[in-house]
Amino acid sequence: MHDIQPSFSEGSKDSNSSEAKWKETLDKVAAAVVSVKFCHTTSFDAEDATSSEATGFVVDANIGYILTNRHVAGPNPFWGRCIFENHEEVDVYVIYYDPVHDFGILRYDPKSVKHMSLSAIPLRPDLVKVAEAVRLVGNDAGEKLSIQSAVISRLDRNAPEYDESGYNDFNTNYIQAASGATGGSSGSPVVNIHGQAVAMQAGNKSRTATDYFLPLDRPLRALQCLQKGEPITRGTIQCQWKFKPFNECQGLGLTAEWESELRKAFPNEVGVLVAERVIPQGPSDSKIQVGDILIKVNGKLLAQFKYLDDILDSSVGSNIELLLQRRGKDVEVNIEVADLFKITPDRLVSVAGASFQDLSYQRARAHGVACKGVYLCDSSGSFTPLSDGCLIQKVDAKATPDLDTFIEVMKTIPDQTRVVVTYTNLDDPRTPRFTILRIDRYWSNKITQYVKNDKTGVWDFTHLADAITRSLPVPSTASFVQLRSVPKAVADITKSIVKVECFVPKNLNGSYYLPRPSVGVVIDAEKGVILVSRATVPHALCDITITIADSVIVDGEVLFSHPMHHYALIRYDPLLVRAPLQSVDLSSKPVEQGASLHFVGFKDKNIGGPMYTRTAVTDVCNLQLEANPERPKLRAINSETLRVDTGLADDCGSGILMDDDGIVQALWLTSLHYAGYSDVYRYYGLATSTIFPVISRVRQGEVPKLRFLSVEFEAITMSQARDMKVSEEWIGKVEVANPSCHQLFKVKKRTIQSDDKSKALLEGDIVLTLNSGIITRLSELDINDDAESLDARVVRYGEEVNLELQTVLADDFETKRAVLFCGATLQPPHHAARLRVGKSPSEVFVSSVRGGSPASHYGLSAATFITHVNDTAARDLDSLLKAATTIPDNTNFTLTTMSLSGIEKVMKMRKNDHYFPTKEWIRATPKWIERVI
């Protein structure tokens, strides 16, 4: 925030005395306005976990109360701080947020403010009036203190509808004004020339420069209750009202007699309240109908929301009498006022990676359903196939009418059990839907309940139950479908194809995308080995489900991952499968252009039965997939691909190509490809001759310890080779060695493994030979003999040089450890990240950042490196953890980071061990071990 420089832009110029008065007022007001920096740490009640900033203002300097918006203070678990005009920063927590209206009250410790005198802004909702000039004093998009002029144009606007899927205020009038408030100004005081808050900024419509202000009647009452130590009672009859002008009410049946009485009683009003929505099974259900006009409450005429609120809030547990006009007839009803807090959830339960709560009044009103049921607020983990916001009706055929029952049902389900879940979507509540979920408790082994503590503002958690050990799997029998009207050798391929799905609990290797289900090919039925794309199994921190013959389901584990050709080998227990699985017969010979083959493919989504066609190979060429420069992810590199003449291949993300004898010539796989704006999936054919050497070793019982050159190559033509000083002698040798394709390969990117330039390839090097063999195809760059070094002859800067190249183990580039720190997932750089930067500035790579976490809040970005914690070098995960464990909870420290482009940045960070404890995952083959630091 900066010194105040008020500007005045009203149509008529204020007098000098008015300007002086405004400046004096604003100088005083600014001392009480704060910038609120906050995190909503967990998704809750349709509000996402997020980090943001807004405005608040001190309303009690002695106790330390700050008024701000509800969409700032709640309903999610909250972690935040406020920054005063002099840039002092103090912690704040939520002491109250309103169940319906858009306001909340934060609390800070006044003793923690050391360098300025605190003052409060008085709340005077009674002074607001049309045509009054006011000022908004607030936070301008999180940057500085700003002041906006406004003129109040309406006092009786209905609450604006922002988004049905999120929070909306209702049952209140809003104040409308013309202004130009920006993001971050939510919660700004709207002050008059005397420095009194007459309203609070709540929203705006930027296109029309229209602002929506919340009246302060209810915030003032809540504040007074807190100051007196009294409970804040809130009553409801579960009916949404809307203010409608008299001319519209006439069409709904308002009689002239009642209109006359209402106009006489409220000469400044131009309308009354009309029932807009009645919540099923609530107190008003069957008593109030949509379109009813509210005439009297407890025998008194009523035309304003604030008086209705007064009556409801003071009548919790009692009955009220309503006189309504329904189609021109008087209707009297007696309704019990319920406690609004009882239908405002303040707890969530985490189970199997997902979060649940009781359905709130906010969600019930938005969708017109009864205010009851188990609401899925974060569909992560085992519940990922469902969408956020659905209602869980049954689990494993057991009804779950409320959260407590749901908890008891989930306690009885053993780990890895597959259950049928019945649910409904709130936008179609009458249609039950069904899905089969695997309740995975390995990655989230406890059922944990979080409950809001109104005294501390923190959500306290308790562990309700540990996971029940999974039942031992039993062998199952299945038979395969048959392809129709194809040669028998081709039809039998279905006995070698399985479906593979993968659940990834943590975003590793820079990936935010969900793994894609696909088919896998049985490489060895006796040993239970399957080959599948790494788009399906991206890394080993996962759960793998293998479905055989659409009948038998078994678990899998990662055996081997290829860093270049983008496939993985996974393993299952063959003793659990009593089905005639067959190992595929793989060709060891390269596929030639023009070959006639059979294509059997499977679509990605909801993998159904096989699709078949006969096709021809139109080309065998280099697979060129661009890397994402900002978020490097694993992709196929240094691979050759087949192109075929069937459009079916463009629809299938997995499949096989075989000859008439049933010999598999190529696999159809999926990889990521950066298309200049985002990552997309690319389908490609990989000849089995490329993978045959690895598969042969697996069939002999080996776990491959593959070595490779950690560089990415790109092809160059002979004309380009001449420009880069390749001799005519070598060009002639290339043309003889490969008559069908004249090309050489240049180093495009490398990961630096050696500072000795005689033992490493450099960008721009053109490889002529490896171990005396001329390199004219990418497949000739594969290392199949585990050689730790290779003799190479290359053209470097126009000169031929001999090199002794050091190879690296593929397994060393696989992710075997991950650390969760301040909401960021950290790991050693994966292969794609190493290729992007060459020499990594540290071995601590930020793979992903969770929304609403300290890492997100303070601006730590994914795809960066952490080089220092305070002054301690973070060379690797061990040194980072050693430095991190010395930092006390809720204290500031610094992180030094480096971007992929080498830009260094120092940022402030603060730990929050309550919501974001430090953990690590370590692979202990085949499982992973979690350790809380």
Side-chain angles (χ1 to χ4, degrees):
M1 301 181 195
H2 302 286
D3 292 337
I4 301 170
Q5 297 294 330
S7 60
F8 305 98
S9 57
E10 285 120 325
S12 60
K13 204 169 186 180
D14 289 349
S15 66
N16 291 336
S17 60
S18 178
E19 288 186 15
K21 177 59 177 175
W22 268 118
K23 187 176 188 314
E24 178 186 354
T25 294
L26 294 172
D27 284 339
K28 293 179 180 179
V29 167
V33 177
V34 299
S35 174
V36 181
K37 309 281 187 177
F38 66 94
C39 292
H40 287 163
T41 63
T42 305
S43 297
F44 187 73
D45 206 23
E47 301 293 327
D48 292 334
T50 188
S51 300
S52 191
E53 66 279 323
T55 301
F57 58 100
V58 178
V59 290
D60 190 316
N62 295 322
I63 302 177
Y65 290 148
I66 292 171
L67 182 63
T68 187
N69 289 125
R70 179 192 187 275
H71 65 261
V72 175
N76 314 58
F78 176 97
W79 177 65
R81 65 200 197 279
C82 69
I83 303 169
F84 287 86
E85 182 195 16
N86 68 343
H87 284 265
E88 281 196 77
E89 181 178 313
V90 299
D91 292 338
V92 292
Y93 62 92
V94 178
I95 195 70
Y96 175 79
Y97 71 84
D98 196 78
V100 171
H101 302 319
D102 196 7
F103 76 92
I105 297 176
L106 310 177
R107 188 170 185 177
Y108 67 96
D109 182 1
K111 296 178 182 178
S112 61
V113 182
K114 307 292 186 183
H115 305 289
M116 66 177 290
S117 298
L118 298 175
S119 61
I121 298 176
L123 304 184
R124 291 300 304 271
D126 55 311
L127 298 181
V128 66
K129 55 182 180 291
V130 173
E132 181 177 19
V134 293
R135 301 288 187 269
L136 282 73
V137 185
N139 175 15
D140 184 2
E143 297 294 328
K144 59 185 179 181
L145 192 70
S146 69
I147 299 172
Q148 296 286 342
S149 301
V151 176
I152 292 174
S153 58
R154 287 184 62 183
L155 302 180
D156 57 0
R157 190 198 191 283
N158 283 298
E161 290 281 339
Y162 301 114
D163 181 6
E164 189 176 82
S165 63
Y167 166 74
N168 284 290
D169 202 342
F170 61 98
N171 282 356
T172 184
N173 287 124
Y174 264 55
I175 299 164
Q176 184 170 306
S179 180
T182 57
S185 64
S186 291
S188 299
V190 179
V191 298
N192 60 20
I193 198 169
H194 304 293
Q196 300 158 321
V198 297
M200 180 172 64
Q201 166 74 8
N204 63 65
K205 186 181 292 185
S206 56
R207 287 185 178 181
T208 58
T210 300
D211 275 280
Y212 307 130
F213 302 153
L214 179 75
L216 294 179
D217 304 273
R218 308 324 292 167
L220 176 59
R221 173 182 178 270
L223 174 63
Q224 291 170 341
C225 289
L226 289 173
Q227 290 169 327
K228 296 174 185 176
E230 299 174 351
I232 305 172
T233 56
R234 293 287 277 115
T236 181
I237 56 173
Q238 294 190 34
C239 176
Q240 178 183 348
W241 304 89
K242 190 170 186 178
F243 181 84
K244 289 194 175 184
F246 285 120
N247 60 309
E248 290 188 27
C249 293
Q250 291 168 3
L252 295 173
L254 179 65
T255 62
E257 293 78 11
W258 279 123
E259 180 180 348
S260 177
E261 282 205 41
L262 288 165
R263 285 183 180 274
K264 183 178 179 181
F266 308 108
N268 295 324
E269 298 297 332
V270 295
V272 288
L273 306 184
V274 177
E276 178 79 2
R277 190 169 295 179
V278 178
I279 308 305
Q281 301 178 36
S284 296
D285 193 18
S286 76
K287 295 185 178 182
I288 299 177
Q289 295 182 10
V290 173
D292 284 355
I293 301 167
L294 184 59
I295 304 296
K296 289 182 178 181
V297 180
N298 289 342
K300 294 183 179 180
L301 291 170
L302 188 144
Q304 291 183 318
F305 279 114
K306 64 179 180 179
Y307 298 121
L308 179 60
D309 264 343
D310 283 337
I311 295 169
L312 294 176
D313 292 347
S314 60
S315 304
V316 176
S318 303
N319 284 36
I320 58 173
E321 298 283 346
L322 273 62
L323 176 62
L324 309 167
Q325 274 253 292
R326 181 179 300 161
R327 314 296 186 267
K329 297 180 180 179
D330 290 354
V331 177
E332 293 185 2
V333 295
N334 183 285
I335 302 177
E336 183 180 2
V337 179
D339 187 345
L340 183 52
F341 291 115
K342 288 186 177 180
I343 53 175
T344 303
D346 61 355
R347 65 169 177 160
L348 65 87
V349 170
S350 174
V351 56
S355 297
F356 305 84
Q357 65 177 80
D358 289 306
L359 182 66
S360 70
Y361 183 32
Q362 278 285 340
R363 299 293 91 230
R365 179 209 63 87
H367 295 277
V369 298
C371 190
K372 63 179 182 178
V374 179
Y375 180 80
L376 176 59
C377 51
D378 184 1
S379 58
S380 301
S382 297
F383 288 79
T384 298
L386 302 183
S387 299
D388 290 352
C390 63
L391 292 180
I392 308 299
Q393 307 289 350
K394 291 183 180 181
V395 176
D396 199 22
K398 299 179 181 69
T400 55
D402 53 55
L403 193 59
D404 289 325
T405 306
F406 174 78
I407 293 169
E408 295 306 314
V409 170
M410 295 304 297
K411 284 180 180 179
T412 66
I413 298 175
D415 181 31
Q416 305 300 316
T417 302
R418 297 177 67 84
V419 299
V420 177
V421 174
T422 307
Y423 67 99
T424 57
N425 290 329
L426 283 175
D427 55 1
D428 185 15
R430 294 180 178 83
T431 304
R433 301 166 188 263
F434 306 88
T435 189
I436 300 172
L437 299 180
R438 176 184 179 181
I439 305 302
D440 191 325
R441 301 288 303 280
Y442 181 77
W443 307 105
S444 303
N445 60 1
K446 296 183 184 298
I447 297 178
T448 305
Q449 179 174 267
Y450 298 82
V451 180
K452 183 178 180 295
N453 186 322
D454 290 328
K455 292 184 178 179
T456 65
V458 173
W459 288 56
D460 300 324
F461 67 89
T462 53
H463 296 309
L464 302 181
D466 292 324
I468 300 175
T469 303
R470 66 181 300 180
S471 304
L472 291 175
V474 295
S476 300
T477 304
S479 59
F480 291 89
V481 298
Q482 294 289 320
L483 290 172
R484 300 181 298 275
S485 303
V486 298
K488 185 177 186 310
V490 176
D492 284 345
I493 196 64
T494 57
K495 298 177 182 178
S496 302
I497 292 176
V498 298
K499 296 178 182 179
V500 181
E501 292 187 76
C502 180
F503 165 67
V504 175
K506 304 297 175 188
N507 290 318
L508 299 183
N509 297 348
S511 301
Y512 281 97
Y513 59 91
L514 293 175
R516 296 164 72 86
S518 70
V519 302
V521 178
V522 178
I523 298 301
D524 193 315
E526 290 186 1
K527 295 182 175 64
V529 179
I530 294 167
L531 185 147
V532 68
S533 168
R534 290 194 72 169
T536 299
V537 182
H539 49 74
L541 187 76
C542 64
D543 284 327
I544 300 170
T545 301
I546 301 165
T547 305
I548 298 164
D550 281 331
S551 177
V552 178
I553 298 176
V554 295
D555 293 339
E557 65 184 40
V558 176
L559 177 66
F560 167 79
S561 297
H562 201 291
M564 300 289 186
H565 301 320
H566 208 61
Y567 67 85
L569 298 180
I570 58 177
R571 179 169 50 194
Y572 66 94
D573 184 354
L575 297 178
L576 297 175
V577 181
R578 293 174 179 170
L581 277 171
Q582 296 179 359
S583 305
V584 292
D585 195 353
L586 301 175
S587 172
S588 61
K589 298 179 181 180
V591 180
E592 299 297 335
Q593 186 178 32
S596 178
L597 300 174
H598 302 271
F599 179 84
V600 179
F602 297 80
K603 291 189 175 183
D604 286 333
K605 292 185 178 180
N606 302 319
I607 306 169
M611 295 188 293
Y612 167 80
T613 189
R614 195 171 185 92
T615 188
V617 177
T618 59
D619 195 11
V620 180
C621 56
N622 302 318
L623 180 63
Q624 298 290 339
L625 302 179
E626 288 299 318
N628 187 324
E630 297 178 353
R631 296 287 177 90
K633 302 180 180 72
L634 297 178
R635 60 192 166 90
I637 62 173
N638 299 347
S639 290
E640 294 175 352
T641 184
L642 312 180
R643 291 178 180 169
V644 292
D645 67 348
T646 173
L648 186 61
D650 296 330
D651 295 330
C652 296
S654 53
I656 55 173
L657 290 149
M658 69 190 81
D659 61 19
D660 291 337
D661 297 323
I663 308 299
V664 176
Q665 303 291 320
L667 304 175
W668 202 248
L669 302 175
T670 298
S671 178
L672 280 176
H673 169 61
Y674 186 66
Y677 52 90
S678 65
D679 290 308
V680 297
Y681 287 102
R682 169 82 177 272
Y683 306 147
Y684 65 101
L686 181 68
T688 54
S689 58
T690 301
I691 65 173
F692 191 84
V694 174
I695 301 306
S696 297
R697 295 164 67 176
V698 172
R699 287 174 169 172
Q700 293 170 13
E702 291 184 48
V703 176
K705 297 294 183 182
L706 185 71
R707 303 189 74 88
F708 69 107
L709 293 170
S710 185
V711 298
E712 182 178 0
F713 293 99
E714 62 181 347
I716 61 171
T717 64
M718 293 300 94
S719 63
Q720 291 171 320
R722 285 190 175 93
D723 292 338
M724 301 182 76
K725 310 302 182 187
V726 176
S727 69
E728 291 296 328
E729 178 185 358
W730 278 107
I731 289 175
K733 290 180 180 180
V734 169
E735 292 173 346
V736 172
N738 188 353
S740 63
C741 187
H742 302 158
Q743 61 182 355
L744 284 168
F745 294 95
K746 176 172 67 73
V747 175
K748 180 179 181 181
K749 294 287 294 184
R750 62 168 178 150
T751 63
I752 299 174
Q753 300 298 323
S754 173
D755 292 330
D756 185 347
K757 294 184 179 180
S758 67
K759 295 185 178 181
L761 291 168
L762 304 180
E763 280 87 353
D765 285 354
I766 300 170
V767 178
L768 301 175
T769 67
L770 285 180
N771 286 349
S772 302
I774 298 177
I775 303 300
T776 65
R777 296 186 62 167
L778 283 170
S779 57
E780 294 166 348
L781 292 164
D782 286 339
I783 302 167
N784 299 313
D785 57 4
D786 296 339
E788 295 185 8
S789 64
L790 299 172
D791 294 328
R793 187 164 183 82
V794 305
V795 175
R796 176 176 290 174
Y797 301 121
E799 302 210 357
E800 293 182 20
V801 295
N802 293 320
L803 305 175
E804 184 183 355
L805 302 179
Q806 302 301 306
T807 62
V808 294
L809 270 172
D811 192 56
D812 290 345
F813 286 81
E814 291 303 313
T815 304
K816 303 171 189 174
R817 186 182 184 192
V819 169
L820 306 181
F821 177 61
C822 290
T825 301
L826 312 178
Q827 64 172 85
H830 58 292
H831 189 233
R834 294 180 188 275
L835 276 177
R836 172 66 176 82
V837 299
K839 187 173 184 179
S840 300
S842 85
E843 287 296 297
V844 182
F845 181 76
V846 183
S847 185
S848 62
V849 174
R850 178 178 163 183
S853 67
S856 172
H857 185 63
Y858 287 100
L860 182 62
S861 300
T864 57
F865 296 86
I866 296 177
T867 61
H868 290 80
V869 179
N870 289 328
D871 293 328
T872 302
R875 296 178 299 276
D876 51 30
L877 293 178
D878 285 327
S879 57
L880 178 134
L881 285 174
K882 185 177 180 180
T885 54
T886 64
I887 301 169
D889 185 30
N890 202 36
T891 57
N892 295 327
F893 62 98
T894 61
L895 286 181
T896 305
T897 65
M898 186 167 289
S899 70
L900 295 171
S901 302
I903 299 174
E904 192 173 57
K905 181 180 178 181
V906 178
M907 67 177 61
K908 170 184 164 183
M909 186 70 66
R910 177 174 288 200
K911 287 180 70 177
N912 184 303
D913 289 333
H914 183 78
Y915 294 119
F916 300 95
T918 302
K919 301 180 182 179
E920 68 173 337
W921 290 92
I922 302 173
R923 190 180 187 194
T925 307
K927 293 294 185 181
W928 289 71
I929 298 172
E930 179 187 18
R931 186 168 74 99
V932 179
I933 308 299

